[in-house]
Amino acid sequence: MTSKLDSLDQWVNDVAAMTRPAKIHWCDGSDTEYRALVQQMLQSGDLIELNQQTHPGCYLHRSSPSDVARVEHLTFVCTKDEADAGPNNHWMAPAEAHAKMDALFDGCMEGRTMYVIPYCMGPIDSPLSRCGVEITDSPYVVANMRTMTRMGAPALARIEREGRFVKGLHSTGELDPERRFIIHFPEELSIKSYGSGYGGNALLGKKCHALRIASHQARSEGWLAEHMLIVGIENPQGETHYVAAAFPSACGKTNLAMLIPPEGYRKEGWRVWTVGDDICWMRPGADGRLYAINPEAGFFGVAPGTSTLSNPNALQTISRDTIFTNVAVTADNQPWWEGLPGTPVTDWQGRPYDPANGPAAHPNSRFTVSAKQCPTWSPKAEDAQGVPISAIMFGGRRPSLLPLVMEARDWTHGVLMGAAMGSETTAAATGAVGVLRRDSMAMKPFCGYHYGDYFAHWLSLDKPGAKLPKVFHVNWFRKGKDGKFLWPGFGENLRVLEWMIARVEGKAGGVETPIGTLPAHGELKLEGLELPRETLAELLTVDHAGWQTELHAIGEYLDSFGTRLPANLRQEQQRVAQALETPRKAAAHA
Ligand code: OXD
Ligand code: MN
């Protein structure tokens, strides 16, 4: 298979001339191709067969121990004008970056096969989808891209029809951290990634294309590329509302996307549908609502912590046809990670397990699996038009201050809530307690342009005729004085989602406070949940003094974006700060 598109063939030829591979393979995405790749990787040791009785079609990949995560300090956005990349990105001049990368790529594929991967992010026939081609010398990347994207012949046909695609060039190189860079050229729709085989750095369709390049492209085309899950909540009457939610990492996005309703809700007929667990592309439709697709076709999820308690749906999803990366294994060769029952015998580096070496599975060990295997996978995920979004949620890990849920009074206030979001570190994690790291819209590592322009782009969606979703901020991680979580989380989060949907449908009045609308007394359904009245009150308290300090800090953070910060966002921060100065009852939920 080669292409009928001159620009693609020309690029492939140019890359081959530079990297000098022994062979070029155009990926067609077929089962035969996948099986051959797996056999080849089993022989080379890139994959290890897991217990095929308990985990049919499952394999383990062990990465280089120094190549286990995204490398933000080596990730660059190379716009012509440095100011366009913003303080939220590392920047290099495009010519300098090309020269640096091309020197690394020179001859790097000698003796290796160069794979050409045409892929489509999003349903193949959706106007919201976008295509790309990744060139790589890693068969592991090919196997993962096949699961994570719509890869192969249909994508190539679309690329030939449209003539436009994102060019991603990747080589694992020597896996030397000193010779590792992940470079984006948003104005050229291209990516160059060298020296890492780790998912977020090497599967270029995911963070590099679907977030950094796409967010830049979305800005000029009037849509949004966001770090959000998409979940459908179906009520007993059979009506489904779709919610898009942004959380920084380690806040349970995959768990929320696959939530299992509490027993009482299940009996009543509530259902939850998974549309996406990480990335959401949204665009205003003809009716003014935002329509969303999940550009991905699979999950690249964090394994540790995935258990029957936290996410039984994920556990079922990964019981077959899954590539595991950097997990431990048991005596009978089953994949294992912290949070699962059983005992590991071999750790993620292939050593006999010894607790003195740290966790058995790497904390960022992963599973790659087709979304179609998820028991709650929504048929609407394949819908070319996308799903209409009723509500947007922002959230972070905030042990104090932030209530369980609050609703923005309008879109501008919602954008402020998203811009201000972040997670507090704990002593266990960093040694410094209560350090708040702002991560606007959970896009800090992924926004491909200046955050000030990004906030302005969000605000610009609010125009005549727009029927924008309601915006909420949630906090599942509020702690009591004893350091224990106040809210049980997991499936119980559906209670909060139900209140949000009631707000969307105009069926819940709420209580207005200076920071937003909170549930009024009795509006959060708590039947079947043992939650003391004082705990609920604490979860819904508005601490005026604490919020005044918070608003001041938000103002300082916004000012760090200088003249590109939209004036109305700063005004919105001042509006909330002023509202907090007006004395009123401290508790919204008296
Ligand atoms: C992430 C991921 O790092 O989804 O956000 O892998
Ligand atoms: Mn993510």
Side-chain angles (χ1 to χ4, degrees):
M1 185 169 78
T2 51
S3 106
K4 286 190 236 112
L5 190 71
D6 289 347
S7 60
L8 173 55
D9 284 336
Q10 184 61 51
W11 176 58
V12 171
N13 290 341
D14 291 349
V15 169
M18 175 166 69
T19 58
R20 300 192 287 280
K23 223 168 100 189
I24 301 179
H25 177 92
W26 285 74
C27 301
D28 62 15
S30 64
D31 289 344
T32 318
E33 178 182 75
Y34 181 73
R35 279 195 297 270
L37 275 171
V38 166
Q39 282 316 312
Q40 176 195 326
M41 286 191 279
L42 287 171
Q43 270 156 30
S44 67
D46 274 341
L47 287 186
I48 297 163
E49 195 167 73
L50 290 165
N51 186 325
Q52 296 297 301
Q53 266 74 53
T54 58
H55 290 77
C58 291
Y59 303 97
L60 166 65
H61 171 77
R62 292 199 182 109
S63 74
S64 160
S66 65
D67 183 33
V68 291
R70 287 187 288 104
V71 281
E72 285 173 28
H73 62 296
L74 303 173
T75 299
F76 290 76
V77 167
C78 303
T79 42
K80 280 189 215 107
D81 183 350
E82 178 172 5
D84 290 338
N88 44 304
N89 282 300
H90 298 296
W91 177 88
M92 214 188 287
E96 184 193 338
H98 277 300
K100 189 182 190 73
M101 295 306 280
D102 292 353
L104 293 171
F105 278 110
D106 188 29
C108 74
M109 295 191 192
E110 271 170 17
R112 298 186 187 183
T113 299
M114 178 174 116
Y115 298 94
V116 182
I117 310 172
Y119 64 87
C120 180
M121 298 310 292
I124 201 85
D125 56 350
S126 170
L128 282 79
S129 301
R130 292 286 183 277
C131 289
V133 176
E134 174 166 357
I135 296 181
T136 180
D137 53 9
S138 161
Y140 167 81
V141 165
V142 180
N144 279 272
M145 283 290 283
R146 180 176 185 268
T147 302
M148 295 304 297
T149 73
R150 279 91 171 165
M151 162 189 139
L156 182 60
R158 180 166 170 163
I159 290 167
E160 286 170 346
R161 211 170 51 241
E162 292 180 338
R164 214 158 101 102
F165 59 97
V166 170
K167 296 185 176 89
L169 173 56
H170 168 256
S171 170
T172 48
E174 310 80 18
L175 295 174
D176 174 357
E178 299 298 318
R179 286 163 58 81
R180 180 175 294 160
F181 293 100
I182 323 298
I183 309 263
H184 305 75
F185 304 94
E187 290 144 348
E188 301 168 23
L189 297 184
S190 90
I191 306 155
K192 289 184 177 174
S193 166
Y194 189 90
S196 169
Y198 171 75
N201 305 325
L203 310 179
L204 300 186
K206 193 173 177 63
K207 303 299 188 182
C208 300
H209 177 166
L211 287 176
R212 297 194 192 95
I213 299 285
S215 60
H216 191 277
Q217 196 174 24
R219 179 194 175 202
S220 55
E221 295 177 2
W223 50 284
L224 293 169
E226 298 301 323
H227 190 203
M228 290 179 173
L229 65 93
I230 309 167
V231 67
I233 310 293
E234 183 180 330
N235 67 17
Q237 292 73 50
E239 297 145 355
T240 306
H241 280 281
Y242 294 91
V243 176
F247 296 87
S249 47
C251 291
K253 278 214 332 273
T254 305
N255 296 348
L256 186 61
M258 298 180 191
L259 176 152
I260 298 204
E263 201 187 335
Y265 279 75
R266 284 205 301 278
K267 283 200 183 128
E268 277 178 30
W270 289 83
R271 296 190 69 173
V272 170
W273 297 101
T274 309
V275 181
D277 81 326
D278 195 40
I279 303 180
C280 165
W281 286 358
M282 289 184 276
R283 175 188 282 271
D287 60 358
R289 297 187 73 186
L290 284 186
Y291 285 80
I293 59 163
N294 169 13
E296 301 192 282
F299 307 122
F300 181 65
V302 177
T306 306
S307 68
T308 43
L309 171 70
S310 69
N311 197 337
N313 280 326
L315 221 47
Q316 199 177 321
T317 308
I318 60 182
S319 61
R320 65 177 173 93
D321 299 310
T322 302
I323 297 179
F324 294 92
T325 301
N326 292 338
V327 297
V329 285
T330 59
D332 64 345
N333 208 22
Q334 295 191 47
W336 191 92
W337 50 83
E338 278 70 16
L340 281 185
T343 323
V345 296
T346 309
D347 77 3
W348 65 278
Q349 298 192 54
R351 301 172 299 194
Y353 173 56
D354 177 353
N357 288 331
H362 188 277
N364 193 33
S365 54
R366 298 278 175 154
F367 51 77
T368 315
V369 68
S370 167
K372 292 203 177 101
Q373 291 183 198
C374 179
T376 51
W377 186 238
S378 166
K380 290 278 183 195
E382 293 298 332
D383 199 325
Q385 298 313 311
V387 293
I389 297 295
S390 301
I392 287 179
M393 270 161 78
F394 296 117
R397 205 174 263 275
R398 298 291 300 258
S400 59
L401 193 67
L402 272 283
L404 177 63
V405 58
M406 59 184 181
E407 178 194 324
R409 68 171 204 168
D410 57 18
W411 185 253
T412 306
H413 187 205
V415 174
L416 179 71
M417 278 184 183
M421 70 182 259
S423 271
E424 267 176 31
T425 55
T426 63
T430 64
V433 178
V435 177
L436 181 71
R437 223 175 281 137
R438 303 257 172 223
D439 183 357
S440 300
M441 281 82 169
M443 283 287 278
K444 167 74 186 72
F446 308 118
C447 179
Y449 61 105
H450 196 300
Y451 250 159
D453 295 339
Y454 171 79
F455 301 148
H457 179 49
W458 264 80
L459 291 170
S460 76
L461 294 181
D462 191 6
K463 49 180 165 232
K467 295 198 185 68
L468 294 167
K470 279 188 176 288
V471 181
F472 299 85
H473 189 287
V474 297
N475 180 20
W476 316 136
F477 301 96
R478 183 82 177 252
K479 286 182 176 169
K481 286 186 193 68
D482 57 3
K484 295 210 178 102
F485 290 119
L486 292 175
W487 179 249
F490 301 112
E492 308 298 341
N493 292 339
L494 184 57
R495 298 173 189 277
V496 176
L497 285 153
E498 186 191 3
W499 178 75
M500 289 180 189
I501 290 168
R503 288 289 300 160
V504 167
E505 291 180 337
K507 293 181 182 156
V511 177
E512 272 184 46
T513 82
I515 58 166
T517 303
L518 272 67
H521 185 69
E523 280 183 355
L524 266 189
K525 272 205 211 122
L526 298 172
E527 287 96 61
L529 181 68
E530 280 188 28
L531 193 75
R533 204 179 135 72
E534 324 68 81
T535 307
L536 180 65
E538 204 176 338
L539 280 163
L540 296 175
T541 294
V542 182
D543 162 7
H544 278 237
W547 270 101
Q548 279 167 348
T549 310
E550 171 78 355
L551 262 291
H552 181 74
I554 293 171
E556 283 185 345
Y557 169 70
L558 293 180
D559 286 345
S560 71
F561 300 106
T563 54
R564 295 214 186 189
L565 181 79
N568 42 346
L569 199 59
R570 191 67 162 96
Q571 278 154 16
E572 184 62 12
Q573 174 268 339
Q574 276 156 6
R575 181 192 67 75
V576 180
Q578 268 154 25
L580 280 159
E581 274 162 29
T582 317
R584 53 174 78 207
K585 272 202 221 123
H589 195 91

